[in-house]
Amino acid sequence: MNRSFPESDAAANGPQCKQKRAATVHLWLYRALYPFALLIGSPFYLRRMWRRGGYREGFSHRFGRVPSLPAKREGVSRLWLQAVSVGELLAVAPLLEAWAREGHEVYLTTTTSTGYRLARERYGALTIGIGYLPLDWWPFSRNAWAAVQPDVALLMEGERWPEHIAQAARRGVSVVCLNARLSDRSFRRMRRCLWAIEPLFGGITKILACAEEDARRFRALGFAPDRVITTGNMKLDVAVPVLDAGAKAQLRSELGLRPVESGELILMGASTWPGEEAALISALRSLRVKGIACSLLLVPRHAERRAEIVAVLRESGFRYRIRSEYLSESRSDSECVDVSLADTTGELQRLLQVADLVFVGKSLPPHTEGQTPVEAAILGRAILFGPGMGSFRQIARELVDCGAARVVGDSQALAAQACKLLLDSEKREAMGAAGRAWHAQNVGALARTLEATSELFAKPAASVR
């Protein structure tokens, strides 16, 4: 897929020239159809933006306007890094720190309001600017590129925008996919429409895959083997600050959970999706019936679902606390609850540290993609997840194989396994130790990623703006 196209007359009618013409046709077709797709999808996206909130600040960035950036400095590489989710933004912290030490300039963009807020809170000193990625339509992308003038474009994980990549190719800018992965669903879709996507992705310079299976899939799609490198998953290199006993006790109190001394255990649903909260509440009810002293901590993947989850909690009859309301009201009551709903952003690593058993969300049917179990493994927590871990298939398989995690097929199996593990502290400790050992054996992706990208940073981009 990453092919160079000769410009000589001798090759004018060759296969590569035909591929170049096909790529041009596909790109202009994409440009022509994009506004209609945007119009059709706008009600859905506007509704989601309204529910999440916080999009007003920096909204013009989506139409190609860029926050004021300093003038480019001669001899200094300017990098444009795009990362979508909170997890991706947390994973890039070591990269940003390393690039700052090396003197590179980084313009960081994201897509969601939560990601934007997190980036501004944490990375202002490590970047020359933070904004939203423009909508992937020709005028918007072109204007943003003219303003940023990067020497290298870096895309995290599943980010592969045709116009963004085309603008890079026009300017002779290298495009690197970091921590690149292909879920089962994405791979199936891309194989079905390979004729359409192959020309559009021709501008990708290098793919740094997070697992060998992902690398094989990229090669199967037509990416040149020498441009696909397995560097490992950078999320395994993330440093998780460990809370001391006092901080954990304070957090439990804020969540409305009983202190450790009470002997009450905590089942946690991490990054849950619709239907999984109800399954966990059902598991809690089963645990209580069997006499297990246990509370439930729910951490939904999207905080804007709080009203939906609160409705389920009301029907359950359990006492519950909503973390965002508790914090906003600065309350200090000591009332303990059965279920704590942590509808806040950027706290997952802290919240995991009060859990005894963690269920990883987006994995029970009908969900198939899964959320990351990495932080739970790093922190040595016993892990459960459903069969749908497509986005983390390699990690999930390794965690199960090493004894750090178990797969539960449905809500009944979730309740049964939760009961077994919460009654067996030695088993939980063994699973936690296996997770920590697995993590220790798999670090190093950061160093490999820095090495693989360093040679590109020294190459100046073309002068076309």
Side-chain angles (χ1 to χ4, degrees):
M1 208 178 289
N2 282 284
R3 304 176 177 94
S4 59
F5 301 102
E7 300 294 337
S8 64
D9 292 338
N13 296 313
Q16 290 181 324
C17 189
K18 292 179 181 178
Q19 291 163 358
K20 184 176 182 180
R21 287 197 296 268
T24 302
V25 170
H26 280 76
L27 178 61
W28 280 102
L29 182 63
Y30 176 80
R31 289 171 171 173
L33 294 178
Y34 187 88
F36 298 100
L38 183 63
L39 184 64
I40 293 170
S42 59
F44 167 76
Y45 287 105
L46 289 172
R47 178 173 176 268
R48 188 172 71 174
M49 291 167 69
W50 177 78
R51 289 179 66 191
R52 290 189 179 182
Y55 278 96
R56 180 174 298 180
E57 184 181 4
F59 191 73
S60 62
H61 302 171
R62 299 181 182 277
F63 303 102
R65 295 194 64 181
V66 171
S68 179
L69 302 178
K72 288 195 70 174
R73 294 182 292 158
E74 186 176 353
V76 175
S77 295
R78 176 168 290 188
L79 319 177
W80 183 346
L81 173 62
Q82 161 65 10
V84 177
S85 69
V86 170
E88 290 176 16
L89 285 164
L90 292 173
V92 301
L95 284 177
L96 294 174
E97 292 167 357
W99 291 336
R101 289 193 299 270
E102 294 170 2
H104 303 307
E105 296 179 340
V106 180
Y107 176 55
L108 176 62
T109 55
T110 186
T111 305
T112 66
S113 59
T114 51
Y116 182 72
R117 184 165 56 250
L118 177 69
R120 288 178 62 86
E121 288 173 357
R122 301 196 180 193
Y123 302 138
L126 298 174
T127 61
I128 58 169
I130 294 170
Y132 285 109
L133 184 75
L135 294 167
D136 201 49
W137 191 34
W138 180 33
F140 304 152
S141 185
R142 178 194 59 196
N143 292 343
W145 271 87
V148 179
Q149 301 184 37
D151 298 302
V152 180
L154 303 126
L155 303 171
M156 278 292 290
E157 298 201 357
E159 292 292 276
R160 289 176 284 274
W161 295 99
E163 186 62 55
H164 191 67
I165 294 169
Q167 291 294 324
R170 177 175 179 265
R171 294 164 169 78
V173 172
S174 297
V175 177
V176 184
C177 296
L178 305 176
N179 226 46
R181 58 182 175 86
L182 279 173
S183 68
D184 298 337
R185 183 172 63 178
S186 295
F187 184 55
R188 287 194 299 268
R189 287 178 176 176
M190 293 172 77
R191 292 195 73 173
R192 282 198 298 266
C193 57
L194 191 60
W195 62 272
I197 65 168
E198 183 175 0
L200 296 178
F201 289 164
I204 297 177
T205 309
K206 188 173 289 189
I207 291 183
L208 308 184
C210 63
E212 184 54 39
E213 186 171 352
D214 293 292
R216 285 195 295 269
R217 289 184 171 189
F218 281 113
R219 296 186 192 107
L221 291 174
F223 286 91
D226 62 340
R227 298 200 177 186
V228 181
I229 304 170
T230 303
T231 50
N233 195 328
M234 288 196 302
K235 288 181 177 178
L236 297 181
D237 284 11
V238 66
V240 179
V242 177
L243 302 179
D244 59 28
K248 289 180 185 179
Q250 176 63 30
L251 183 55
R252 287 178 73 119
S253 176
E254 292 176 2
L255 293 166
L257 303 173
R258 292 174 180 82
V260 175
E261 295 77 19
S262 69
E264 185 165 274
L265 302 171
I266 298 175
L267 170 64
M268 175 176 172
S271 300
T272 54
W273 281 64
E276 292 176 331
E277 294 88 10
L280 286 160
I281 290 170
S282 177
L284 175 64
R285 184 170 285 109
S286 297
L287 292 165
R288 291 282 183 88
V289 167
K290 294 182 178 181
I292 300 173
C294 179
S295 295
L296 177 62
L297 173 57
L298 292 175
V299 188
R301 177 64 179 84
H302 297 119
E304 64 271 17
R305 292 184 51 242
R306 78 173 54 80
E308 169 192 336
I309 299 170
V310 167
V312 176
L313 288 171
R314 286 199 187 108
E315 291 181 6
S316 74
F318 285 122
R319 292 170 299 166
Y320 62 89
R321 175 179 294 184
I322 304 172
R323 180 157 174 74
S324 62
E325 293 181 0
Y326 183 85
L327 294 176
S328 65
E329 296 170 6
S330 300
R331 291 163 57 183
S332 59
D333 59 77
S334 57
E335 179 187 6
C336 293
V337 296
D338 305 304
V339 184
S340 183
L341 173 59
D343 58 334
T344 47
T345 301
E347 283 198 299
L348 184 61
Q349 292 179 356
R350 298 181 69 242
L351 296 168
L352 282 165
Q353 297 185 54
V354 302
D356 296 286
L357 178 62
V358 176
F359 167 77
V360 177
K362 204 181 180 182
S363 61
L364 283 180
H367 307 295
T368 60
E369 299 300 292
Q371 297 289 166
T372 176
V374 170
E375 286 91 346
I378 292 174
L379 291 165
R381 295 302 182 263
I383 302 169
L384 298 175
F385 42 66
M389 291 291 287
S391 293
F392 300 91
R393 83 192 79 76
Q394 182 69 24
I395 289 175
R397 185 182 305 124
E398 291 176 1
L399 288 173
V400 171
D401 289 346
C402 77
R406 292 182 178 180
V407 180
V408 291
D410 52 32
S411 58
Q412 289 77 21
L414 169 59
Q417 284 294 332
C419 180
K420 287 181 181 179
L421 291 174
L422 289 175
L423 285 172
D424 192 342
S425 61
E426 290 186 3
K427 185 51 149 179
R428 293 198 311 272
E429 290 174 6
M431 291 176 70
R436 285 191 293 266
W438 166 84
H439 172 249
Q441 294 168 0
N442 284 278
V443 295
L446 173 63
R448 291 188 288 271
T449 298
L450 290 171
E451 181 181 358
T453 56
S454 60
E455 62 182 42
L456 297 174
F457 295 169
K459 298 178 181 179
S463 59
V464 178
R465 300 297 178 193

